[in-house]
Amino acid sequence: MDINALYSEWLEKAVVDPDIKAELESISGNYDEILDRFYRSLEFGTAGLRGIIGAGTNRMNYYTVCRATQGLSDFLNKHFDAPSIAIGYDSRIKSDYFSMEAAKVLAANGIKVYLYKELQPTPCLSFAIRHFKTSSGIILTASHNPAKYNGYKCYNSNGYQMTDEEAAETYEFIKNVDYFTGIKTMDFDEAVKDGLIEYMGDEVIDAFLDEVIKQCVNPDAVKTAGLKVIYTPLNGTGNKPVRKILEKIGVNEVYVVPEQEMPDGNFPTCPFPNPEIKQAFEYALKMADKIQPDLLLATDPDCDRVGIAVRNGEGGYKLMSGNEVGAMLLNYLLSQKSKKGQLSENSIAVKSFVSTDLAEVIAKKYNCTFKNLLTGFKYIGELITQLEAEGRADDFVMGFEESYGYLAGTHARDKDAVVASMLICEMAAYYKTLGKSLAEVMDSIYDEFGYYFNTVASYTFEGASGMEKMAGIMDGLRKSTPKSFADMPVTVVDDYKTSVSTVTAHGKTDKIELPKSNVLAYTLVDGNKIIVRPSGTEPKIKAYITAIGNDKETAQKIADKLLADADKLMK
């Protein structure tokens, strides 16, 4: 590949978006900057596209988005007689522009487009796919990444992200599309006039919220608790739907962080708009000094994930982990549904297999079937779709991932911070009527089931050499299985790439009934665990640690030893 020739071609032909030409002209003669933009094309996978906004094949721009859309159009026209698609977008820079350009390409290929008329959460896109029974869906978002990123996520007709097979076939179509001569497009207004592009009305969002509110378990508790909430949408899509659903269930004291209320893809007060990190709560915590709320809520820009901070009993606020919120929500839903006789004999809850095992112990108490699935909410979406096909949709209690993603109900096939925000507030209100804070509730769960300390260590390996290093680490672990971690013997090794589970004491093996994935899990004595997994979207290997003790101090000591041994593996 001649990088300079590719750069010159783009400089000459990339004329649709003036920002592209201006950026290319600004890096003239700077080979390193040119190389970074053109050394590869953004790859299309099950997470679609994601990259820095800018000029070049390795950036999110008009041409990379429209090329992907042309490839998707070819895929849809191959598999559907009269394909249709739903499109949504968030507050990120150029998300609205990319959504309209994508709609024009799809329309030019004869595909009917349902387009949200304003930014909406990712779960609303999943809902719209099922509402209109479309063949596919697109959401323009980069979730919680910094402002310089954008992304393009594709969904199938079931409302969850494309499967590996669907994404691989679509990518083959994309690779055959020339950036400048292979993209079909048409005038937007003409496509609307011809009925090829149709704006979705408010009734779609109303229908979504109607489904969300059905997940309430104790609506009366909300109305009497006097719950006080500070909410920040982090300049994203959650502002309207989250506030509307909280109003519907009777949470009347919701204070929104003014600096983070309105959509703004620059995220001026939260450069990392990620509810997993405390910095995202900085402005909410400042407000808390005066308002003294029971609860702080933060949803990420596309409102599929939510984080919370709760009173810690010492006058301050504690940021709860995704594992803690998932376990607490599951315990709340199971206990209340059981008490009200709403729990079916075949109820089922689910989580990603890297999330806390505490959830499984809680489910067992209520005779609820529990499943562990691969990381990626599409696998939870697949399970819900299977249950629905079997006439068992009502058996689904909830699913979650440790990365702050939760879903109750079957209205969407992706994580949903709207329904999660509603249930978290309902749960807080219910326990408030009993004189308990959520921090106290979590402590009581630990007292009953043991202290599960979950943490994640990320190891970054930059560049081409980094990818080789990551592959070498995983190969080395497969060739030479660690005998112990933190002086605790490994009792079971699960290799999700070979689908083999091995009991180390006698070498007996079982088949893992999950799709293949490049993941290794080591179970130790007393349920302690290390899971090693390369990231699918970043040059990182992650080590997921589970340490179990009778109390926090004991579990923390075990976790520290496990982390020290994990560090040694990554050298």
Side-chain angles (χ1 to χ4, degrees):
M1 184 196 319
D2 186 335
I3 298 295
N4 283 321
L6 197 54
Y7 166 75
S8 296
E9 182 186 24
W10 274 64
L11 191 59
E12 176 191 351
K13 297 179 179 178
V15 296
V16 174
D17 183 349
D19 291 345
I20 294 176
K21 188 171 183 64
E23 182 178 337
L24 292 175
E25 288 175 341
S26 74
I27 61 171
S28 177
N30 189 331
Y31 183 75
D32 288 342
E33 291 291 341
I34 294 171
L35 179 66
D36 188 48
R37 287 162 176 78
F38 290 99
Y39 82 93
R40 66 165 190 156
S41 293
L42 287 179
E43 291 188 8
F44 183 95
T46 56
L49 302 174
R50 186 172 296 185
I52 295 170
I53 304 162
T57 58
N58 188 34
R59 294 289 189 267
M60 286 290 294
N61 55 60
Y62 169 85
Y63 294 98
T64 53
V65 167
C66 290
R67 179 177 181 249
T69 308
Q70 181 61 54
L72 175 63
S73 299
D74 295 337
F75 169 82
L76 294 175
N77 276 320
K78 174 186 174 182
H79 289 283
F80 298 90
D81 292 333
S84 58
I85 194 165
I87 301 180
Y89 60 93
D90 69 0
S91 62
R92 286 187 174 271
I93 296 166
K94 296 200 177 222
S95 277
D96 54 349
Y97 169 66
F98 290 153
S99 70
M100 292 182 72
E101 295 303 324
K104 288 159 63 175
V105 173
L106 289 154
N109 283 273
I111 297 169
K112 174 62 182 282
V113 178
Y114 296 93
L115 180 66
Y116 273 116
K117 62 184 179 181
E118 65 177 7
L119 73 173
Q120 296 293 351
T122 287
C124 294
L125 183 275
S126 178
F127 176 82
I129 292 168
R130 294 171 50 73
H131 181 80
F132 289 105
K133 296 180 172 59
T134 63
S135 316
S136 182
I138 301 168
I139 184 86
L140 279 302
T141 177
S143 188
H144 56 283
N145 284 89
K148 65 181 180 179
Y149 286 88
N150 209 326
Y152 176 105
K153 287 166 62 175
C154 279
Y155 291 70
N156 65 18
S157 59
N158 292 313
Y160 49 79
Q161 286 184 52
M162 278 185 162
T163 64
D164 293 342
E165 295 77 14
E166 290 166 335
E169 186 179 351
T170 301
Y171 190 37
E172 289 303 311
F173 279 111
I174 293 170
K175 287 190 289 187
N176 290 325
V177 177
D178 183 272
Y179 286 97
F180 304 110
T181 62
I183 299 167
K184 299 177 185 177
T185 188
M186 68 183 296
D187 180 76
F188 187 88
D189 292 335
E190 182 182 337
V192 172
K193 182 180 177 182
D194 292 345
L196 286 165
I197 296 176
E198 179 182 327
Y199 278 114
M200 293 183 241
D202 292 339
E203 69 277 2
V204 180
I205 294 301
D206 290 341
F208 168 80
L209 295 175
D210 286 345
E211 290 301 313
V212 167
I213 205 167
K214 289 178 183 177
Q215 299 310 308
C216 277
V217 184
N218 282 311
D220 291 340
V222 180
K223 294 169 184 173
T224 59
L227 191 73
K228 195 182 291 188
V229 178
I230 289 178
Y231 170 57
T232 171
L234 296 178
N235 302 116
T237 60
N239 188 33
K240 286 186 178 181
V242 170
R243 293 170 73 174
K244 191 173 287 187
I245 200 66
L246 294 184
E247 181 184 0
K248 279 178 176 285
I249 66 169
V251 183
N252 297 317
E253 287 192 81
V254 178
Y255 302 85
V256 181
V257 177
E259 298 90 345
Q260 298 169 346
E261 177 179 7
M262 302 309 293
D264 187 341
N266 293 297
F267 309 117
T269 61
C270 51
F272 296 94
N274 183 351
E276 291 183 71
I277 60 177
K278 191 172 183 179
Q279 187 269 344
F281 284 88
E282 183 180 337
Y283 279 74
L285 286 166
K286 288 178 182 177
M287 287 179 64
D289 291 338
K290 179 179 179 181
I291 294 171
Q292 291 295 302
D294 301 290
L295 181 68
L296 281 68
L297 281 176
T299 53
D300 67 343
D302 68 323
C303 195
D304 63 350
R305 305 192 310 149
V306 58
I308 67 170
V310 300
R311 286 181 184 271
N312 63 9
E314 301 170 4
Y317 291 85
K318 173 189 176 185
L319 185 63
M320 304 290 286
S321 73
N323 279 315
E324 288 178 319
V325 175
M328 194 161 38
L329 263 179
L330 180 62
N331 184 71
Y332 172 71
L333 290 174
L334 288 174
S335 64
Q336 297 307 301
K337 285 175 178 282
S338 176
K339 185 190 297 184
K340 294 173 179 290
Q342 298 173 355
L343 203 59
S344 77
E345 293 181 0
N346 300 307
S347 60
I348 183 168
V350 61
K351 68 176 180 66
S352 63
F353 70 121
V354 299
S355 302
T356 182
D357 292 333
L358 175 57
E360 194 165 355
V361 180
I362 291 169
K364 187 176 181 180
K365 174 182 177 179
Y366 295 98
N367 297 314
C368 175
T369 301
F370 200 89
K371 284 189 177 291
N372 286 285
L373 300 177
L374 294 179
T375 299
F377 226 87
K378 67 179 179 182
Y379 297 110
I380 296 176
E382 285 179 346
L383 175 69
I384 297 171
T385 302
Q386 180 184 337
L387 290 172
E388 191 174 61
E390 296 170 358
R392 296 183 53 205
D394 290 343
D395 290 339
F396 179 72
V397 178
M398 72 167 283
F400 77 96
E401 292 184 332
E402 48 80 35
S403 54
Y404 290 61
Y406 318 95
L407 176 66
T410 60
H411 56 284
R413 296 291 189 270
D414 209 339
K415 46 193 177 288
D416 179 6
V418 181
V419 74
S421 295
M422 180 192 78
L423 286 173
I424 288 168
C425 287
E426 181 196 312
M427 175 173 65
Y430 171 76
Y431 286 119
K432 185 177 181 181
T433 64
L434 302 180
K436 297 179 182 179
S437 70
L438 289 185
E440 291 169 330
V441 172
M442 195 68 234
D443 286 342
S444 68
I445 291 173
Y446 285 139
D447 288 342
E448 180 176 358
F449 299 105
Y451 198 98
Y452 284 67
F453 189 96
N454 296 94
T455 189
V456 183
S458 292
Y459 306 89
T460 301
F461 303 88
E462 296 286 3
S465 62
M467 297 301 288
E468 291 179 11
K469 176 76 171 175
M470 288 169 62
I473 289 171
M474 297 304 292
D475 288 343
L477 288 171
R478 288 191 167 91
K479 288 174 183 174
S480 180
T481 301
K483 299 290 189 294
S484 66
F485 290 94
D487 300 322
M488 292 181 286
V490 174
T491 58
V492 180
V493 179
D494 293 322
D495 188 337
Y496 290 85
K497 188 174 182 179
T498 61
S499 300
V500 175
S501 177
T502 305
V503 179
T504 58
H506 46 65
K508 182 181 177 182
T509 61
D510 285 312
K511 185 178 181 182
I512 298 173
E513 299 293 342
L514 288 174
K516 293 183 184 298
S517 183
N518 188 16
V519 178
L520 288 164
Y522 304 96
T523 301
L524 315 173
V525 294
D526 299 327
N528 298 290
K529 188 179 291 185
I530 287 186
I531 298 175
V532 181
R533 170 182 170 262
S535 171
T537 57
E538 300 172 288
K540 292 180 180 179
I541 291 181
K542 294 184 178 182
Y544 298 83
I545 306 294
T546 297
I548 306 171
N550 292 327
D551 52 48
K552 183 178 181 179
E553 183 179 0
T554 303
Q556 176 77 66
K557 287 179 180 178
I558 295 171
D560 289 343
K561 291 179 180 178
L562 292 174
L563 283 167
D565 280 356
D567 288 346
K568 295 174 187 175
L569 295 178
M570 302 300 157
K571 298 229 173 116

